[in-house]
Amino acid sequence: MTSSLGARGSRLVARAADAVLETSIVGSFTKFGLSTRRSLPQWPADPAPHSLRDHVVLVTGGGSGIGAECARQLSMLGARVLLGVRTPSKGANTAAWIRDTVPGADVDVIDVDVSDFSSVRHAARNIVANELRLDVIVHNAGVLPRERLDSNDGHEITLATHVLGPLLLTELLRLRCGRPRTAG
């Protein structure tokens, strides 16, 4: 296809195919869609195994669902993963599952309710005290209650969980992010 269309034409076809896939559930959220996209000329290659070795990643909402799978995939790439969870027992179960499915996985649980500023501050202090660096924060924690609820700090719970808590956590850990490791 590239030889008859040229590089620019190939990119346009790939962009159009990607746009069509994006408009459907099958193209966006299934193995078929992913495998089709991977065959497109401009689709990036998967990361190399161990490409995140010596990197530390915090995943909030890491106790279940997308957060747990994200943490597992990051572990498969060699990252040290910190599971930020509201319920430590749930985090411990997820950490055990990751260790069972990813040989050599380095996973720890961080107790944090992102909607609660005192919990965020406590978690940030623990991370700063125990980690030499933090390379990535994946803000995945989320809530969507049927009725209005307020956080312990008096903010609407969805705003606190999705915006205010992550902003505070990022600000508290900002200087730790990307800090080079020091020898011994």
Side-chain angles (χ1 to χ4, degrees):
M1 178 166 74
T2 305
S3 61
S4 63
L5 291 174
R8 185 168 187 264
S10 179
R11 281 192 304 271
L12 289 173
V13 169
R15 201 174 294 148
D18 186 55
V20 168
L21 288 168
E22 188 61 28
T23 63
S24 71
I25 290 174
V26 171
S28 292
F29 300 104
T30 65
K31 289 180 182 180
F32 168 77
L34 179 60
S35 66
T36 302
R37 282 183 160 145
R38 282 186 171 158
S39 70
L40 297 173
Q42 299 302 313
W43 191 260
D46 287 341
H50 308 294
S51 59
L52 292 179
R53 181 180 293 146
D54 298 325
H55 289 77
V56 180
V57 180
L58 169 63
V59 180
T60 67
S64 63
I66 293 171
E69 184 59 27
C70 176
R72 190 176 78 85
Q73 293 293 324
L74 290 164
S75 293
M76 290 172 68
L77 294 174
R80 170 169 167 66
V81 176
L82 307 175
L83 295 173
V85 297
R86 252 186 331 196
T87 310
S89 60
K90 194 174 190 180
N93 290 339
T94 301
W97 169 69
I98 292 171
R99 288 185 197 108
D100 287 346
T101 59
V102 180
D106 185 2
V107 184
D108 275 324
V109 176
I110 302 291
D111 183 8
V112 60
D113 178 347
V114 181
S115 72
D116 182 335
F117 294 168
S118 64
S119 177
V120 170
R121 286 184 179 95
H122 184 260
R125 279 192 301 272
N126 284 345
I127 292 168
V128 168
N130 294 306
E131 299 297 327
L132 295 176
R133 67 184 286 156
L134 180 64
D135 298 288
V136 177
I137 304 171
V138 178
H139 290 295
N140 175 70
V143 297
L144 192 56
R146 290 178 182 225
E147 61 228 15
R148 181 187 168 94
L149 297 173
D150 289 336
S151 71
N152 290 340
D153 301 296
H155 303 285
E156 192 278 324
I157 196 81
T158 305
L159 177 68
T161 304
H162 294 238
V163 179
L164 302 177
L167 181 63
L168 177 60
L169 184 61
T170 299
E171 186 60 27
L172 294 171
L173 295 174
R174 183 174 55 90
L175 296 178
R176 179 65 62 189
C177 286
R179 180 180 286 179
R181 293 186 183 271
T182 56

PDB file of all heavy atoms in Angstrom, residues 4 15 25 36 41 56-57 61 63 68 71 88 92 95 98 114 136 150 153 155 166 168 176:
ATOM      1  N   SER A   4       2.292   2.429  -3.618  1.00  0.00           N
ATOM      2  CA  SER A   4       1.374   3.039  -4.578  1.00  0.00           C
ATOM      3  C   SER A   4       0.822   4.375  -4.090  1.00  0.00           C
ATOM      4  O   SER A   4       0.507   5.245  -4.891  1.00  0.00           O
ATOM      5  CB  SER A   4       0.231   2.075  -4.914  1.00  0.00           C
ATOM      6  OG  SER A   4      -0.526   1.819  -3.751  1.00  0.00           O
ATOM      7  N   ARG A  15      -5.059   7.407   8.971  1.00  0.00           N
ATOM      8  CA  ARG A  15      -5.830   8.337   9.795  1.00  0.00           C
ATOM      9  C   ARG A  15      -7.330   8.142   9.568  1.00  0.00           C
ATOM     10  O   ARG A  15      -8.119   8.157  10.503  1.00  0.00           O
ATOM     11  CB  ARG A  15      -5.415   9.776   9.475  1.00  0.00           C
ATOM     12  CG  ARG A  15      -5.764  10.724  10.599  1.00  0.00           C
ATOM     13  CD  ARG A  15      -5.245  12.122  10.384  1.00  0.00           C
ATOM     14  NE  ARG A  15      -3.796  12.156  10.401  1.00  0.00           N
ATOM     15  CZ  ARG A  15      -3.068  13.003   9.686  1.00  0.00           C
ATOM     16  NH1 ARG A  15      -3.639  13.885   8.907  1.00  0.00           N
ATOM     17  NH2 ARG A  15      -1.759  12.983   9.770  1.00  0.00           N
ATOM     18  N   ILE A  25     -18.091   0.819  18.556  1.00  0.00           N
ATOM     19  CA  ILE A  25     -17.680   0.090  19.756  1.00  0.00           C
ATOM     20  C   ILE A  25     -16.710  -1.018  19.376  1.00  0.00           C
ATOM     21  O   ILE A  25     -15.680  -1.212  20.023  1.00  0.00           O
ATOM     22  CB  ILE A  25     -18.915  -0.470  20.488  1.00  0.00           C
ATOM     23  CG1 ILE A  25     -19.696   0.697  21.099  1.00  0.00           C
ATOM     24  CG2 ILE A  25     -18.506  -1.468  21.560  1.00  0.00           C
ATOM     25  CD1 ILE A  25     -21.005   0.319  21.719  1.00  0.00           C
ATOM     26  N   THR A  36      -6.601  -4.417  14.405  1.00  0.00           N
ATOM     27  CA  THR A  36      -6.693  -3.664  13.154  1.00  0.00           C
ATOM     28  C   THR A  36      -5.843  -2.411  13.229  1.00  0.00           C
ATOM     29  O   THR A  36      -5.096  -2.085  12.299  1.00  0.00           O
ATOM     30  CB  THR A  36      -8.161  -3.294  12.850  1.00  0.00           C
ATOM     31  OG1 THR A  36      -8.925  -4.496  12.780  1.00  0.00           O
ATOM     32  CG2 THR A  36      -8.275  -2.527  11.547  1.00  0.00           C
ATOM     33  N   PRO A  41      -0.092   1.641   9.297  1.00  0.00           N
ATOM     34  CA  PRO A  41       1.317   2.013   9.171  1.00  0.00           C
ATOM     35  C   PRO A  41       1.819   3.009  10.219  1.00  0.00           C
ATOM     36  O   PRO A  41       2.988   3.011  10.549  1.00  0.00           O
ATOM     37  CB  PRO A  41       1.416   2.627   7.771  1.00  0.00           C
ATOM     38  CG  PRO A  41       0.050   2.717   7.237  1.00  0.00           C
ATOM     39  CD  PRO A  41      -0.873   1.968   8.118  1.00  0.00           C
ATOM     40  N   VAL A  56       9.379   4.226  38.794  1.00  0.00           N
ATOM     41  CA  VAL A  56       8.359   4.052  39.836  1.00  0.00           C
ATOM     42  C   VAL A  56       7.088   4.752  39.374  1.00  0.00           C
ATOM     43  O   VAL A  56       7.133   5.917  38.958  1.00  0.00           O
ATOM     44  CB  VAL A  56       8.828   4.635  41.187  1.00  0.00           C
ATOM     45  CG1 VAL A  56       7.755   4.449  42.253  1.00  0.00           C
ATOM     46  CG2 VAL A  56      10.143   4.001  41.620  1.00  0.00           C
ATOM     47  N   VAL A  57       5.974   4.031  39.436  1.00  0.00           N
ATOM     48  CA  VAL A  57       4.692   4.546  38.960  1.00  0.00           C
ATOM     49  C   VAL A  57       3.652   4.406  40.069  1.00  0.00           C
ATOM     50  O   VAL A  57       3.505   3.331  40.647  1.00  0.00           O
ATOM     51  CB  VAL A  57       4.214   3.784  37.705  1.00  0.00           C
ATOM     52  CG1 VAL A  57       2.874   4.323  37.225  1.00  0.00           C
ATOM     53  CG2 VAL A  57       5.256   3.840  36.597  1.00  0.00           C
ATOM     54  N   GLY A  61      -6.580   4.486  42.333  1.00  0.00           N
ATOM     55  CA  GLY A  61      -7.676   3.624  41.898  1.00  0.00           C
ATOM     56  C   GLY A  61      -7.148   2.306  41.388  1.00  0.00           C
ATOM     57  O   GLY A  61      -7.749   1.666  40.527  1.00  0.00           O
ATOM     58  N   GLY A  63      -6.886  -0.568  42.832  1.00  0.00           N
ATOM     59  CA  GLY A  63      -7.380  -1.774  43.488  1.00  0.00           C
ATOM     60  C   GLY A  63      -8.268  -2.655  42.636  1.00  0.00           C
ATOM     61  O   GLY A  63      -8.465  -3.826  42.953  1.00  0.00           O
ATOM     62  N   ALA A  68      -6.282  -1.595  38.162  1.00  0.00           N
ATOM     63  CA  ALA A  68      -5.568  -2.837  38.455  1.00  0.00           C
ATOM     64  C   ALA A  68      -4.886  -3.373  37.204  1.00  0.00           C
ATOM     65  O   ALA A  68      -3.728  -3.795  37.250  1.00  0.00           O
ATOM     66  CB  ALA A  68      -6.532  -3.874  39.027  1.00  0.00           C
ATOM     67  N   ALA A  71      -1.916  -1.228  36.338  1.00  0.00           N
ATOM     68  CA  ALA A  71      -0.801  -1.548  37.223  1.00  0.00           C
ATOM     69  C   ALA A  71      -0.125  -2.854  36.808  1.00  0.00           C
ATOM     70  O   ALA A  71       1.103  -2.963  36.824  1.00  0.00           O
ATOM     71  CB  ALA A  71      -1.304  -1.636  38.666  1.00  0.00           C
ATOM     72  N   PRO A  88      -7.174  -0.728  51.796  1.00  0.00           N
ATOM     73  CA  PRO A  88      -5.904  -1.464  51.749  1.00  0.00           C
ATOM     74  C   PRO A  88      -6.055  -2.969  51.517  1.00  0.00           C
ATOM     75  O   PRO A  88      -5.229  -3.556  50.823  1.00  0.00           O
ATOM     76  CB  PRO A  88      -5.275  -1.175  53.116  1.00  0.00           C
ATOM     77  CG  PRO A  88      -5.857   0.151  53.508  1.00  0.00           C
ATOM     78  CD  PRO A  88      -7.267   0.132  52.984  1.00  0.00           C
ATOM     79  N   ALA A  92      -4.185  -5.032  48.701  1.00  0.00           N
ATOM     80  CA  ALA A  92      -3.345  -6.198  48.980  1.00  0.00           C
ATOM     81  C   ALA A  92      -3.731  -7.367  48.076  1.00  0.00           C
ATOM     82  O   ALA A  92      -2.857  -8.078  47.561  1.00  0.00           O
ATOM     83  CB  ALA A  92      -3.460  -6.593  50.447  1.00  0.00           C
ATOM     84  N   ALA A  95      -2.415  -6.515  44.628  1.00  0.00           N
ATOM     85  CA  ALA A  95      -0.958  -6.680  44.595  1.00  0.00           C
ATOM     86  C   ALA A  95      -0.589  -8.159  44.501  1.00  0.00           C
ATOM     87  O   ALA A  95       0.305  -8.540  43.732  1.00  0.00           O
ATOM     88  CB  ALA A  95      -0.331  -6.032  45.824  1.00  0.00           C
ATOM     89  N   ILE A  98      -1.240  -9.374  40.987  1.00  0.00           N
ATOM     90  CA  ILE A  98      -0.189  -8.917  40.062  1.00  0.00           C
ATOM     91  C   ILE A  98       1.065  -9.770  40.255  1.00  0.00           C
ATOM     92  O   ILE A  98       1.672 -10.229  39.274  1.00  0.00           O
ATOM     93  CB  ILE A  98       0.101  -7.417  40.247  1.00  0.00           C
ATOM     94  CG1 ILE A  98      -1.100  -6.595  39.782  1.00  0.00           C
ATOM     95  CG2 ILE A  98       1.373  -7.021  39.489  1.00  0.00           C
ATOM     96  CD1 ILE A  98      -1.011  -5.111  40.110  1.00  0.00           C
ATOM     97  N   VAL A 114      -8.306   9.682  47.524  1.00  0.00           N
ATOM     98  CA  VAL A 114      -7.963  10.888  46.769  1.00  0.00           C
ATOM     99  C   VAL A 114      -8.934  12.037  47.035  1.00  0.00           C
ATOM    100  O   VAL A 114      -8.577  13.196  46.868  1.00  0.00           O
ATOM    101  CB  VAL A 114      -7.868  10.562  45.254  1.00  0.00           C
ATOM    102  CG1 VAL A 114      -7.488  11.779  44.449  1.00  0.00           C
ATOM    103  CG2 VAL A 114      -6.849   9.467  45.023  1.00  0.00           C
ATOM    104  N   VAL A 136       6.020   8.519  37.360  1.00  0.00           N
ATOM    105  CA  VAL A 136       4.716   8.689  36.716  1.00  0.00           C
ATOM    106  C   VAL A 136       3.619   8.580  37.773  1.00  0.00           C
ATOM    107  O   VAL A 136       3.715   7.765  38.687  1.00  0.00           O
ATOM    108  CB  VAL A 136       4.479   7.587  35.650  1.00  0.00           C
ATOM    109  CG1 VAL A 136       3.099   7.698  35.028  1.00  0.00           C
ATOM    110  CG2 VAL A 136       5.558   7.612  34.578  1.00  0.00           C
ATOM    111  N   ASP A 150     -20.701  14.899  49.756  1.00  0.00           N
ATOM    112  CA  ASP A 150     -19.586  15.798  50.026  1.00  0.00           C
ATOM    113  C   ASP A 150     -18.413  15.017  50.589  1.00  0.00           C
ATOM    114  O   ASP A 150     -18.590  14.037  51.327  1.00  0.00           O
ATOM    115  CB  ASP A 150     -19.996  16.894  51.009  1.00  0.00           C
ATOM    116  CG  ASP A 150     -20.953  17.899  50.391  1.00  0.00           C
ATOM    117  OD1 ASP A 150     -20.953  18.034  49.150  1.00  0.00           O
ATOM    118  OD2 ASP A 150     -21.697  18.544  51.141  1.00  0.00           O
ATOM    119  N   ASP A 153     -13.725  17.163  53.328  1.00  0.00           N
ATOM    120  CA  ASP A 153     -13.311  18.562  53.304  1.00  0.00           C
ATOM    121  C   ASP A 153     -14.427  19.500  52.841  1.00  0.00           C
ATOM    122  O   ASP A 153     -14.200  20.697  52.677  1.00  0.00           O
ATOM    123  CB  ASP A 153     -12.080  18.719  52.399  1.00  0.00           C
ATOM    124  CG  ASP A 153     -10.922  17.866  52.885  1.00  0.00           C
ATOM    125  OD1 ASP A 153     -10.435  18.120  54.001  1.00  0.00           O
ATOM    126  OD2 ASP A 153     -10.523  16.932  52.171  1.00  0.00           O
ATOM    127  N   HIS A 155     -16.178  19.353  49.912  1.00  0.00           N
ATOM    128  CA  HIS A 155     -16.302  19.523  48.463  1.00  0.00           C
ATOM    129  C   HIS A 155     -17.174  18.412  47.894  1.00  0.00           C
ATOM    130  O   HIS A 155     -17.222  17.307  48.440  1.00  0.00           O
ATOM    131  CB  HIS A 155     -14.923  19.489  47.795  1.00  0.00           C
ATOM    132  CG  HIS A 155     -13.990  20.516  48.322  1.00  0.00           C
ATOM    133  ND1 HIS A 155     -14.105  21.836  48.001  1.00  0.00           N
ATOM    134  CD2 HIS A 155     -12.939  20.414  49.165  1.00  0.00           C
ATOM    135  CE1 HIS A 155     -13.149  22.514  48.614  1.00  0.00           C
ATOM    136  NE2 HIS A 155     -12.430  21.677  49.335  1.00  0.00           N
ATOM    137  N   PRO A 166      -6.419  14.851  42.936  1.00  0.00           N
ATOM    138  CA  PRO A 166      -5.286  14.619  42.038  1.00  0.00           C
ATOM    139  C   PRO A 166      -4.371  15.845  41.890  1.00  0.00           C
ATOM    140  O   PRO A 166      -3.148  15.697  41.823  1.00  0.00           O
ATOM    141  CB  PRO A 166      -5.953  14.261  40.703  1.00  0.00           C
ATOM    142  CG  PRO A 166      -7.250  13.652  41.107  1.00  0.00           C
ATOM    143  CD  PRO A 166      -7.688  14.435  42.317  1.00  0.00           C
ATOM    144  N   LEU A 168      -3.830  18.180  44.186  1.00  0.00           N
ATOM    145  CA  LEU A 168      -3.051  18.261  45.422  1.00  0.00           C
ATOM    146  C   LEU A 168      -1.970  17.190  45.448  1.00  0.00           C
ATOM    147  O   LEU A 168      -0.809  17.479  45.776  1.00  0.00           O
ATOM    148  CB  LEU A 168      -3.974  18.120  46.642  1.00  0.00           C
ATOM    149  CG  LEU A 168      -3.281  18.118  48.002  1.00  0.00           C
ATOM    150  CD1 LEU A 168      -2.512  19.419  48.238  1.00  0.00           C
ATOM    151  CD2 LEU A 168      -4.317  17.884  49.110  1.00  0.00           C
ATOM    152  N   ARG A 176       9.273  15.316  43.671  1.00  0.00           N
ATOM    153  CA  ARG A 176       9.789  13.951  43.735  1.00  0.00           C
ATOM    154  C   ARG A 176       9.817  13.324  42.340  1.00  0.00           C
ATOM    155  O   ARG A 176      10.637  12.469  42.046  1.00  0.00           O
ATOM    156  CB  ARG A 176       8.912  13.108  44.677  1.00  0.00           C
ATOM    157  CG  ARG A 176       9.318  11.670  44.814  1.00  0.00           C
ATOM    158  CD  ARG A 176      10.657  11.452  45.448  1.00  0.00           C
ATOM    159  NE  ARG A 176      10.674  11.950  46.798  1.00  0.00           N
ATOM    160  CZ  ARG A 176      11.763  12.047  47.532  1.00  0.00           C
ATOM    161  NH1 ARG A 176      12.909  11.665  47.074  1.00  0.00           N
ATOM    162  NH2 ARG A 176      11.707  12.535  48.747  1.00  0.00           N
TER     163      ARG A 176
END
